[in-house]
Each structure stands twice: as C-alpha cells, then as structure tokens.
Amino acid sequence: MPRFPIASKTTETLSARVFSGLVQKAKAREAAGHQVYWLTVGDTYLEPPAVARAEAQRTADHPRLHNYAVPAGDPALLDAIGDKLSKQAGREIDRVLIQVQSGATAGLSVVVKALLDAGDEVLLPSPYWPLIRGIIAGRGATPVEVPLWDRIDDESFDLEAVLEAALTPRTAAIYVNSPHNPTSRVLSEHHLEAVERVAERHDLWVLCDEAYEELWFGDEAFAPVWNRPKLRDRAVATHTLSKGYGLAGARIGYTHGPAAAMEAVRGAQTFMTYCAARPMQLGAAAAIRDDGGWADEARRLYREAGKKAAAAIGVPEPVGGTFLFFDSTPFRNEGETTLDFLARCLDAGVLMTPGRACGTAYDAFVRVCFTSLPPAALDEALGRLQSVLHR
Ligand SMILES: Cc1ncc(COP(=O)(O)O)c(C=O)c1O
C-alpha cells in the first residue's frame, strides 16, 4: 500500500510530546534573557576523567584511530570491561560474552531487537526511564507497565503477585533498572527474590539496566542484579560510561549475558551501529582501567547534591542515581495540573520533567535531576524551587 508521506505506525508512538511545550517555554524564557536551571536530563556538570577525553586520543599513539573498530569492541576496551566485570562478579566473565555498544540507549535497542519479536510483551516496572518504553515499542513489542517503585516501602505490596497479574502468554522479558531512574532507589533482596521466582517460573529474559551502577551513595557499591546465581543464565545486562564516568557524549556502553543471548546481540548489533566510535572506546578503556579517583569524587559531590535536593523538596535522600521523583499533589494550587505546576516552577526559573514521561500512573509526579548543575547553581535552583514549593 502506498505510504508516502506517512511515517511508520511504530514510530508514531515514540514522541516526547508530554514535555515539548515546557521545553519551548524554557527556550523562549532563555531567549528573552532569563536564567533557566535545567534539572531535566540526567547529565553532569563535571568534565570526564582526563584520560577519557576526546583530546587525549591521538592518531600518533593509535594508528588507524578513525577506522572502523572490531564490531564486538576494541580489544583494549573488551579487556578492560572483562576485568572490571570479573572483579565485580567474583568469577571470570569471558570476553566473548561482551559486546561494546554505542551507549546504553542503543545497547538496549540492540538487546530488545535481538531477544524479542514484534508482539512480545515486556514487564516494565514503573515509573521508568522515559526512553525504555519507546525502545520496547520501537521493536513492535508491548511495554506492560507495572507500578512498583513508589510502592517498595509498603510492606503489604506483593511484587510477586503484581508481576504474576501482569503476565500473559506473550510476556517474554522483564526490565530491571536498579539503582533506578527516576527514584534513585534500589530493589531490596525481598523484591529481587520475587523477580527471580517469576522469571524462572515463566521463562523470562531479565533485561538489566546498569546505568547507575557506579553512582551509589552508601558505603559500597550495590551487588549487581545480573550476578545473582538464579538470574545468571537469563540476565542480559547493559552498562554505560555516561553516568559513572561522565562520558554521555562519548556514547560508549556494553552488554553481556549468557552465550545464546550474546550471539543474537552480536548479530543484531552489527546491523544497527556496526561498531562504537573507536577514539571514544580507547578513552573508555583508559577510564575503566584508572579514572584517577574521578568516580569517588563524583559520588561525593552527587551524594551532597542529592541530600540538598531531597531536603529542599522534602523527600528521602537518594541511595544511588541522579534523580528524585516526587508527588506534586501537595504543592499544586486548586485546579492546577502538574503541567501548570511545572510552568509555575519554570516561571521561577526551574525546569523539571513531568512524571507522566515515566509512566501512565505518574501524572501527578515530577522528576528532578540533581547532578546536572555545579553546587552554587544547584543551590540557586533549589532556592527558587523552594520559593514555589513552600510558599
Ligand atoms: C536507566 C537508564 N538507562 C540507560 C540510559 C542511557 O544511557 P546512555 O547515555 O548510555 O545511552 C539512561 C540515561 O539516562 C538511563 O537513565
């Protein structure tokens, strides 16, 4: 059937509409000479470790620096990742089970393409990182939202029963992102055991998203979900250097998992990006080997920023990640929608993301990034936000 000028039905669902009006308003405000504090995208104000920067990669040191890389990943990066994963796991992770990716967004798209078919369903605990819904839908699969993260402190919340109720014969996978965007919480042992039982009982893939693995604010890193003995044969984990190394613009990540999954991931990846940018792979390898204390310092700064932001809003401190997620209901005027409330915050100079982008059950919520601004600017932004929240 003739199609022009209509785009695909699959991509029609992939819009950022919930947010675009506010972004336009923020840009207009800036154009008119007013300051806007963007607490939206989970990026950082810190420059990355010196060894990983674009300017540290030189053709003189790396012949054919700008040629295609090996599709699985540059050997230097695969070795660095392999050593890192093996140390984390306390067991040898074979290099052939690792695929370097062009960041975790592309990486998860590759995983979803490799493991799912159109029409499959994926259990998507919500609220969620906004792009994951589109990544699943872009495959022609169906994201099945399972409200979870705002309920994890409720002792009567039965995760196993909730997941069971969301299952259908088409369910093929569950997505697990812990530490979590947008709540900056982690799943407890109790909840992870529920995930294990459901995944095992119904033969599900477990799609682990490790984006925030390095951003932990307690005494030590969280034990990786993908390394749990009961999940190892079904967990396909995707990591990124965007957060823990401040390299979001470098677009480097990686996926690893059991052999059957990785063979499919390799196949799918070749057709999507072929290989990740080689100069940035070499920088990533150097940072993984030795970041010169960068991650320790970033954790210290982000921990402080998270504490301040939580106190300003009046929510519990984050345990790991870059966002806070709060219910705007107590702060809204009578008759005001969340978007109206966000527009009022923007009038005070602070832009935040509507919770709706993180799930249909979160219309009343708001997501705030606490790592995007340097301390003094964050203080100013939080002061302005408080003037709206606690009038
Ligand atoms: C949970 C989660 N997964 C994946 C990503 C994507 O990371 P990348 O920059 O590597 O594409 C993000 C980025 O914000 C994220 O929050």
Side-chain angles (χ1 to χ4, degrees), residues 41-43 101-108 128-132 135 175-182 209-212 238-243 247-254 322-323 367:
V41 179
D43 214 339
Q101 304 275 20
S102 302
T105 305
L108 282 155
Y128 45 76
W129 165 52
L131 295 196
I132 190 63
I135 287 172
Y175 168 80
V176 179
N177 166 224
S178 176
H180 178 240
N181 171 0
D209 181 339
E210 299 295 309
Y212 298 98
T238 301
H239 307 244
T240 176
L241 277 88
S242 294
K243 315 292 176 180
L247 283 167
R251 311 311 298 134
I252 300 293
Y254 53 97
T322 60
F323 295 104
R367 188 183 78 165

Side-chain angles (χ1 to χ4, degrees), residues 12 28 62 65 76 90 99 122 135 138 142 145 165 167 169 179-180 207 210 218 225 230 271-273 289 340 353 371:
E12 222 175 44
H62 306 287
L65 180 63
Q99 172 66 55
V122 179
I135 287 172
T142 306
E145 295 184 27
L167 281 157
H180 178 240
L207 311 181
E210 299 295 309
V225 175
K230 290 194 175 160
F271 292 94
M272 285 178 76
T273 61
R289 289 272 178 226
D340 296 336
T353 307
T371 61

Side-chain angles (χ1 to χ4, degrees), residues 312 341 344-345 347-350 380-391:
F341 164 73
R344 198 150 55 81
C345 294
D347 288 340
V350 179
E380 175 64 26
L382 293 175
R384 290 179 182 217
L385 185 58
Q386 275 187 304
S387 71
V388 179
L389 298 182
H390 308 295
R391 287 169 304 153

